[in-house]
Amino acid sequence: METLNKAHDLSEPLTAPVRLDLSITEQCNTCCPYCWQLEHTKVGNLTFEVLAPAIKDLCSWRPLYSINITGGEPTIWKGFEEFIFLCKNEGVKNIWINTNAIRLANMSFLKKILKAGVTAIGVSIDTLNPEKHLELRRFPFSKMQKALDNLYEIQNTEGFNFYISLNPVLNKLVTPEEVAELKDYANSREWGFFCQAVFKGPALDKYGITKEERDARDKAIFAKDDCPDPSQGLLEVVQNTDKFSRDTHPLQKPGARCLKGQTTLKITSNGSVRFCWNGPNHIGNILNTPILEIWKGAEAKKAREYIREKECRCLFDCDIYESLGLEWVYLNG
């Protein structure tokens, strides 16, 4: 932590990044109405040949603690399995994929990616109601149920050690009781649960929820004794970070340091590199500059200074552990 804090104060890259968030493609095999990726047929510019050198360069300094792969739908990206194996082979400790689970309905594919190195799977699912699922996710719930059953079976009978989380998007169509039912389902299988609300895009008016509607869903999800409360400290509120206001966000407290510029890189499907989705603009592009040159470059320094001076408007942060530099990220598996 001392090194990270010094790096923050100097706006210098004294350590290697810990986490890489990779939006590997905008292409998707469904079309959720509230998705912030609007061009679902756009493949993007990232290929295995582009990404492989970037991963090798990052891990040559120190293997990444985690890589979080999303899209679009990452499992349909050409070279996906080969890329997972590369990350594992380069020493990446945690390889997380976020998926709509359509391809996980195929057990042989699921086994293949787990053998390649996937250590965590986040499933995008909003409800157990088949009709509402079809409207929101645009494919039959029977396929989702098959994927969920495959995950449960392989976790309990095949000896694979990996983490599963159900990740709903809170919206007007799904009632508080249905969200609570989904959380109970996750709990019954000893899976994780992470929720966030629709927060931008053309469907915000139709599916977005008000603060009161969000509070009602939280009340249904959390028992009174474990309901997140920003006054209780940092660890208790991580699952609910998109409810922070400018005044209550931990990163805005006096003396707080946002360590995103010292811990995290984000790469979009066009190769653009940033520290944060909500902070300063891109710091380079891996299509024309090696990743470590970007990490150590002049634009990265400007972005770190921007973050240091708290010019960001950070109201949502699903990777807040890395932002705050909480030590268990670096010490625990």
Side-chain angles (χ1 to χ4, degrees), residues 19 24 113 135 223 229 254 298:
R19 167 176 170 149
I24 207 167
I113 64 172
E135 177 176 340
D229 178 354

Side-chain angles (χ1 to χ4, degrees), residues 187-198:
N187 290 342
S188 73
R189 297 193 166 197
E190 298 183 336
W191 294 349
F193 182 84
F194 176 85
C195 58
Q196 63 189 60
V198 178

